[in-house]
């Protein structure tokens, strides 16, 4: 009986560890497009790949000194989120901002 419990424990542990390892392999995603809209807001396209559920994506815009100057969030649809970020007037329609996003 003890031998059977040991084998069962090893099998269950192996299955659980495989599930945790698969969950840790989820793609973080990538910024695929930055564009300015007619109002001067930065529109960030962030792709996380195929997803069967809606994920919240948070994006932050940084100036050339790596200081945050704006942020926004949106939810994925079809594995892609479009996030609108309002930035200060002096950064609108320039290439002086970079963006970082996290799902």
């Amino acid at each position: 009986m003890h031998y059977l419990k040991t084998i069962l424990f090893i099998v269950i542990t192996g299955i659980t560890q495989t599930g945790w390892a698969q969950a840790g392999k989820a793609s973080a995603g990538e910024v695929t497009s930055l564009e300015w809209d007619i109002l001067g807001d930065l529109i960030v396209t962030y792709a996380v790949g195929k997803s069967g559920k809606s994920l919240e994506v948070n994006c932050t815009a940084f100036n050339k000194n790596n200081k945050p100057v704006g942020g926004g969030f949106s939810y994925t649809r079809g594995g892609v989120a479009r996030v609108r970020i309002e930035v200060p007037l002096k950064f609108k329609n320039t290439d002086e901002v970079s963006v970082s996003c996290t799902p």
Side-chain angles (χ1 to χ4, degrees):
M1 184 68 170
H2 180 62
Y3 179 72
L4 205 62
K5 286 182 183 178
T6 304
I7 291 176
L8 185 59
F9 174 77
I10 291 171
V11 169
I12 290 173
T13 303
I15 292 170
T16 305
Q17 292 295 329
T18 303
W20 286 334
Q22 300 264 336
K25 291 182 181 179
S27 174
E30 66 176 318
V31 174
T32 59
S33 176
L34 297 175
E35 54 192 89
W36 296 98
D37 71 4
I38 195 166
L39 301 173
D41 291 340
L42 184 59
I43 307 299
V44 180
T45 304
Y46 186 80
V48 294
K50 292 185 179 182
S51 177
K53 62 181 180 176
S54 181
L55 300 173
E56 183 176 318
V57 175
N58 294 285
C59 296
T60 305
F62 298 92
N63 64 14
K64 289 194 175 199
N65 296 326
N66 210 28
K67 301 290 183 191
V69 294
F73 75 95
S74 185
Y75 292 90
T76 58
R77 289 184 299 225
V80 177
R82 302 244 317 148
V83 180
R84 177 181 305 276
I85 300 176
E86 185 177 340
V87 297
L89 187 59
K90 71 180 194 175
F91 297 111
K92 290 184 184 282
N93 296 310
T94 69
D95 62 351
E96 296 183 13
V97 292
S98 62
V99 176
S100 175
C101 297
T102 56

